Amino acid sequence: MELFECMNFLLSVSQNKVFKQFSEGLKKYGLTPAQYGVLNCLWKYETLSPKQISEKLYLEPSTVSGILDKMQHAGFIGRSVDENNRRNILVFCTLKSYSLQNEIEKTVENLNNQLTEKTSASELKIVKRVLEQMIRN
């Protein structure tokens, strides 16, 4: 099979390119793309358990645990015991992450626009639909 016919090759190379671009763009905030994913979830839902975060981001719980440790150490998130079930931990954004939210979201929007500037709206719609199907399979 030709490399450019292999979905694994195309997706891997594309993902590496996007990851590098987003890593560079988020570096000024001290964030990684995965950490941005966590913040994005928390900005939307306010508090989540680590398990809920792992489900929303399609990541292993052990991976999320490491990400959360680094984010808490950097002051982006906090953790508290769930008052309704003391066995559960809840993750929430700190004032630091809320104060940077608009700036970070603008940066991510700009990165996304740079990445897709040569792609038509109809092509993007198809790409998103195909990728979402792959995620769900």
Side-chain angles (χ1 to χ4, degrees):
M1 175 180 282
E2 291 292 322
L3 277 180
F4 281 86
E5 296 296 321
C6 179
M7 291 302 294
N8 181 60
F9 174 77
L10 293 171
L11 289 169
S12 294
V13 172
S14 299
Q15 194 277 337
N16 285 335
K17 181 177 180 175
V18 171
F19 184 82
K20 283 180 184 178
Q21 184 176 347
F22 274 68
S23 293
E24 191 61 36
L26 292 169
K27 188 186 297 184
K28 63 184 167 190
Y29 305 106
L31 290 170
T32 65
Q35 292 170 338
Y36 165 73
V38 170
L39 286 180
N40 186 281
C41 288
L42 294 173
W43 288 331
K44 182 175 183 180
Y45 297 103
E46 294 186 17
T47 58
L48 293 169
S49 70
K51 181 180 180 192
Q52 290 170 313
I53 293 169
S54 68
E55 289 169 354
K56 290 185 183 311
L57 296 178
Y58 297 90
L59 294 172
E60 293 297 319
S62 59
T63 301
V64 169
S65 178
I67 292 168
L68 295 178
D69 288 345
K70 290 176 183 164
M71 292 180 75
Q72 186 170 15
H73 182 73
F76 287 107
I77 59 139
R79 298 184 219 194
S80 64
V81 175
D82 184 348
E83 293 179 8
N84 297 320
N85 182 348
R86 299 199 53 78
R87 292 175 293 177
N88 288 336
I89 300 295
L90 295 175
V91 182
F92 57 90
C93 286
T94 61
L95 290 175
K96 176 181 179 177
S97 58
Y98 280 123
S99 70
L100 293 170
Q101 181 178 359
N102 289 337
E103 189 177 340
I104 292 169
E105 287 181 331
K106 185 67 175 167
T107 296
V108 169
E109 184 179 337
N110 289 338
L111 290 165
N112 205 54
N113 289 339
Q114 289 170 16
L115 185 69
T116 60
E117 67 187 355
K118 296 180 182 174
T119 309
S120 71
S122 61
E123 289 171 325
L124 276 176
K125 189 174 182 179
I126 292 167
V127 168
K128 287 177 187 178
R129 189 175 68 234
V130 169
L131 291 173
E132 287 171 5
Q133 287 173 337
M134 288 180 170
I135 289 171
R136 290 186 177 100
N137 285 340

